[in-house]
Amino acid sequence: ATFPMVIDAVDDDAPDGTQVVTISVSAPGFASGVAELEVTDDGDRAPIVINEVLWDPPSGSDPNGDGNPNGSPLPAVVEEV
């Protein structure tokens, strides 16, 4: 006997590699069955976050433009991709 079914894959944006999915079926009066499918990741990349920038400015410079040479550190830079 056959049974039509639709399987939709969901793109989760996580770089999690190939996953194995097992489908099991059974019904009274019929033989049971098992099938394994490999779902391949589409090559997602994890977001990169830069939360600190280390820099040693030249002596006497005003790295952040606040009028205080070497007095204040640069603000942290955060970027979501």
Side-chain angles (χ1 to χ4, degrees):
T2 62
F3 178 80
M5 69 176 167
V6 176
I7 300 172
D8 288 326
V10 176
D11 186 1
D12 61 4
D13 293 330
D16 49 9
T18 299
Q19 305 275 324
V20 176
V21 177
T22 303
I23 301 172
S24 303
V25 295
S26 64
F30 294 91
S32 60
V34 177
E36 286 190 349
L37 305 173
E38 288 187 357
V39 180
T40 305
D41 190 30
D42 64 355
D44 297 311
R45 294 185 179 160
I48 296 173
V49 176
I50 300 171
N51 60 13
E52 186 173 353
V53 176
L54 300 176
W55 181 52
D56 187 13
S59 178
S61 68
D62 184 8
N64 62 0
D66 67 354
N68 185 8
N70 297 332
S72 302
L74 289 173
V77 176
V78 177
E79 179 181 339
E80 285 189 35
V81 177

